[in-house]
Amino acid sequence: MGPRSLRVNLILWFTLIFALILALSDYVTYRVLHGVLVAELDSSLISIAAEHRASVRDAALSVDSGSDLPRQPTPHFIQLIDSRGHILAQNGLADNSSVLSQDQIDRVLEGNVVTADVKRGHFDGRIAAIKGERAGEPVAVVTGTGTERLSSRASRIALILLFIDVVAVAASIAGGSLIIGKALRPVDHITQRARQIGAGDLRQRLEYLDSSTEMVHLTAVLNEMFEKLQRLFESQRQFVQDAAHEIRSPLAALRCRLEVALRQNRDAVEYREVLRGALDDSNRLSELADDLFLLARADSDNLAMDFREVLLSDVVSSVHSLLTPIAEARHVSFRQNIESDCLVYADRDRLHQAFRNVAENALKYTPPGGQVTVTVRAVADEGQVIVEDTGIGIPRKDQKKIFDRFYRVDRARSRSDGGTGLGLAITDQVIRAHRGEIELESDAGHGSKFTIRLASATSLVDAAVVDD
Ligand SMILES: Nc1ncnc2c1ncn2[C@@H]1O[C@H](COP(=O)(O)OP(=O)(O)O)[C@@H](O)[C@H]1O
Ligand SMILES: [Mg+2]
C-alpha cells in the first residue's frame, strides 16, 4: 500500500475515536433509559398487585383457572399462589403453573417485594409479587404483563440514538476535513514553493504566509536550508572558477614558452632553458592538480586518513630537514626547537603536509636575514606546533581570509613564488580532520606566528575511557 495522505489519516483516526466515544456514551444512555422503563413498569405492576391484594382478602377472586377467559396471554395477568406453590386463583394467563419459583415464593411470604423477568415459550414478560392474605392464609399476589411494549419503546430509543450517531459521524467527517484541510493548506503551499525554488533560483525564499508557530518554524528551517544550499553552491562555483583560472595561467605560460622557442632555430643551451621552464610549469600544474584533488576529497568527506600514534617532534624534524636547503638558499635562519614532545593520533603524511605548508610560507614571506623558528611543546593534554617568522606579516583585514581557498594577500608576489593560495586552505582542512585548531597572530611588517593545537593521544585514550 502506498503512503496515505496525512489528511486522510487524520480524518480516519479522528472519526474512529469519535465513533468509539459515541458508542460508549450510547451504550450507557441506553442502559440507563432501559432501567428507567423497567422501574416504571415494576412500580405500576406493584400498584396493580396492591389493588388485587385488597380485593382477594375475602376470597372475592374465584379459582376459575381462567376457564372462561381467552386462553392466550393478555396484556396483564394475576396469580395467587400459596406457600407450597399451589395456584389458588389466576386470571389472564394461558397455562396454570406458578410463575414464581419456590425460592421466590418464600421471599415474598417473608414480606419482600419480588420483581423478575419471566419467559414462557414465546411469552416474554415481567412480574411483580407481594405478600397478601386469603382466608387467613398468607399468599403471594403476583401480577405480570408482557414486555412487548417496553421492548418496542427501547428499540425506538436505540433507533433514535443510532440516527443521531450517523448524523454526528457524518458531520464530524465533513467538519474534520474542512478544519484539517484548512490547517494543511500552508503545507501544500510550502511544498509547492519549495519545489519551485529547488528547481529554479536558489536565491528566492519562502514567504511567511501562515502565522502558526509550526508553519513559521517550518518556513524558517526551509529558508535556512536554502540559504546554506545557496552558499554552498556559490562557493562551489567560485572554487571551480578560481581553479580554472589558476590552471589557465601556467598553461598559458607553458604555451607561450614553447611558441617563442619554436619561432626560430636555437642552440642546445637555449632549448635546455626552455625545457627546464616547461618542466617547472608542468610541475606547478601537477602540484595544483594534487591540491585541488585533496580539497575536493575533503569536501566530500573522502579524505582517506591513516590514523596512528605519531610523535610531533618526529614530523617536525622531517619537515625541518626537508626545508633547510630552501632556507639556506633564501638566507633565512631556520631553527627547530623541541621544548617537550607529544604523542598524537594522526595521519603522519597529512600532518607533514600541513606543517610543511605553514613552514614554507614562513620561509617564503621572510626576507633574507630573517628568522623562522618551529617549536614543539606539550601543554596540558595537547601538543602544539608553533611556526614563527620575522617576515612581512599579514595585515589584520586579511588574517581571517588567508585560510580561504585561493586567497593571497599579494596575488602577484605569491604567484611569482609558485604559490597557488591553496596551502593554508589544505592545512586548515587537515588540522580540522584531526579535530585540531590552527591560530594566527600577526603584525604587518613584524612577522607572523601560526599555532597548531592537537589533542595528545593519551588524552584521547582518557576521553574514550570516560565515554565508555
Ligand atoms: N608567514 C606568512 N607571512 C606573511 N604572509 C603569509 C604567511 N603565510 C601566509 N601568508 C599569506 O597568506 C596567503 C595564503 O597562503 P597560502 O594558502 O599558503 O597560499 P600561497 O602560499 O600559495 O600564496 C599567502 O598568499 C600570503 O599572502
Ligand atoms: Mg603557501
Side-chain angles (χ1 to χ4, degrees):
M1 203 172 76
R4 209 167 31 201
S5 101
L6 178 62
R7 194 180 314 242
V8 173
N9 259 341
L10 282 175
I11 293 173
L12 279 182
W13 276 109
F14 178 73
T15 309
L16 185 70
I17 291 169
F18 184 60
L20 279 176
I21 293 172
L22 266 183
L24 190 72
S25 95
D26 283 356
Y27 176 74
V28 172
T29 311
Y30 180 81
R31 293 304 330 166
V32 168
L33 285 175
H34 191 266
V36 168
L37 289 178
V38 170
E40 215 174 64
L41 181 63
D42 286 352
S43 84
S44 81
L45 284 175
I46 291 168
S47 66
I48 294 169
E51 273 169 35
H52 284 301
R53 174 167 59 189
S55 57
V56 298
R57 189 170 314 212
D58 23 79
L61 194 75
S62 62
V63 187
D64 59 13
S65 302
S67 54
D68 37 40
L69 288 164
R71 295 205 139 259
Q72 47 182 295
T74 57
H76 163 177
F77 63 85
I78 172 162
Q79 237 178 16
L80 289 189
I81 307 169
D82 74 5
S83 58
R84 274 155 303 151
H86 292 140
I87 296 174
L88 304 177
Q90 75 167 16
N91 200 342
L93 204 58
D95 66 287
N96 51 9
S97 58
S98 165
V99 291
L100 291 185
S101 66
Q102 189 57 47
D103 179 51
Q104 286 172 320
I105 294 171
D106 293 344
R107 287 214 329 249
V108 171
L109 295 185
E110 277 162 25
N112 298 310
V113 175
V114 168
T115 55
D117 291 323
V118 280
K119 194 165 170 61
R120 291 195 162 189
H122 294 300
F123 174 67
D124 268 331
R126 183 88 188 155
I127 53 156
I130 56 175
K131 187 182 175 190
E133 209 181 297
R134 180 180 151 96
E137 287 288 314
V139 291
V141 181
V142 189
T143 52
T145 185
T147 42
E148 310 84 23
R149 242 167 66 80
L150 185 134
S151 309
S152 86
R153 283 170 79 184
S155 40
R156 219 171 29 238
I157 290 172
L159 216 67
I160 292 171
L161 287 174
L162 195 70
F163 176 72
I164 295 175
D165 286 0
V166 171
V167 172
V169 167
S172 101
I173 292 177
S177 340
L178 212 74
I179 295 170
I180 292 166
K182 199 168 138 50
L184 290 183
R185 203 165 305 140
V187 176
D188 290 343
H189 173 82
I190 289 175
T191 313
Q192 212 179 354
R193 282 287 292 144
R195 190 177 293 143
Q196 279 172 4
I197 295 176
D201 184 359
L202 274 179
R203 277 170 307 188
Q204 286 184 49
R205 293 289 171 267
L206 293 172
E207 304 82 12
Y208 288 83
L209 284 188
D210 192 274
S211 58
S212 63
T213 336
E214 290 84 356
M215 292 305 153
V216 169
H217 203 80
L218 180 63
T219 310
V221 167
L222 283 175
N223 275 342
E224 243 166 66
M225 199 182 74
F226 285 135
E227 180 82 39
K228 256 191 215 149
L229 277 177
Q230 189 208 340
R231 241 184 288 142
L232 204 76
F233 198 63
E234 297 272 304
S235 75
Q236 216 55 355
R237 195 163 53 191
Q238 190 64 44
F239 180 53
V240 172
Q241 241 171 40
D242 291 344
H245 184 76
E246 289 303 325
I247 292 170
R248 208 188 285 147
S249 25
L251 272 181
L254 182 61
R255 202 172 63 198
C256 177
R257 211 187 289 280
L258 296 176
E259 274 171 3
V260 170
L262 285 175
R263 222 166 269 164
Q264 60 191 71
N265 277 336
R266 296 176 191 276
D267 61 23
V269 178
E270 280 176 316
Y271 279 131
R272 281 185 83 84
E273 189 63 29
V274 171
L275 287 178
R276 191 170 297 126
L279 191 62
D280 281 349
D281 290 337
S282 74
N283 276 342
R284 251 180 86 190
L285 271 170
S286 83
E287 262 169 40
L288 179 63
D290 287 348
D291 287 355
L292 287 175
F293 190 50
L294 189 144
L295 283 171
R297 269 187 306 174
D299 279 349
S300 53
D301 276 334
N302 243 340
L303 213 56
M305 302 275 269
D306 180 17
F307 282 106
R308 284 159 202 271
E309 290 190 344
V310 176
L311 268 178
L312 277 185
S313 65
D314 194 24
V315 187
V316 167
S317 299
S318 147
V319 171
H320 182 258
S321 31
L322 182 76
L323 296 184
T324 299
I326 297 176
E328 277 166 5
R330 294 184 63 97
H331 302 289
V332 173
S333 129
F334 187 30
R335 254 175 11 100
Q336 71 166 341
N337 171 22
I338 314 284
E339 280 181 16
S340 47
D341 206 352
C342 185
L343 197 65
V344 295
Y345 200 59
D347 182 316
R348 193 183 187 286
D349 293 343
R350 297 257 181 265
L351 218 52
H352 189 275
Q353 189 176 10
F355 296 166
R356 179 184 156 178
N357 285 348
V358 180
E360 243 171 4
N361 282 347
L363 293 173
K364 190 154 88 177
Y365 300 107
T366 300
Q371 250 180 39
V372 172
T373 313
V374 186
T375 306
V376 178
R377 66 157 83 114
V379 179
D381 50 7
E382 67 178 23
Q384 298 182 351
V385 174
I386 301 158
V387 181
E388 252 174 309
D389 66 59
T390 57
I392 59 173
I394 300 164
R396 189 156 292 271
K397 68 170 172 54
D398 297 306
Q399 287 183 8
K400 261 208 153 59
K401 297 192 208 146
I402 56 160
F403 295 100
D404 290 352
R405 294 167 187 192
F406 299 112
Y407 191 84
R408 287 164 292 198
V409 177
D410 181 349
R411 223 156 231 268
R413 167 173 180 165
S414 158
R415 190 176 286 151
S416 69
D417 285 337
T420 57
L422 289 179
L424 286 181
I426 288 175
T427 300
D428 187 45
Q429 287 281 3
V430 169
I431 299 302
R432 252 196 266 180
H434 285 85
R435 301 194 182 292
E437 279 172 23
I438 179 163
E439 242 172 53
L440 162 67
E441 288 165 58
S442 178
D443 256 341
H446 295 283
S448 315
K449 177 179 172 187
F450 285 86
T451 306
I452 294 169
R453 302 167 196 281
L454 293 166
S456 84
T458 47
S459 84
L460 287 177
V461 171
D462 290 349
V465 169
V466 171
D467 276 356
D468 291 346

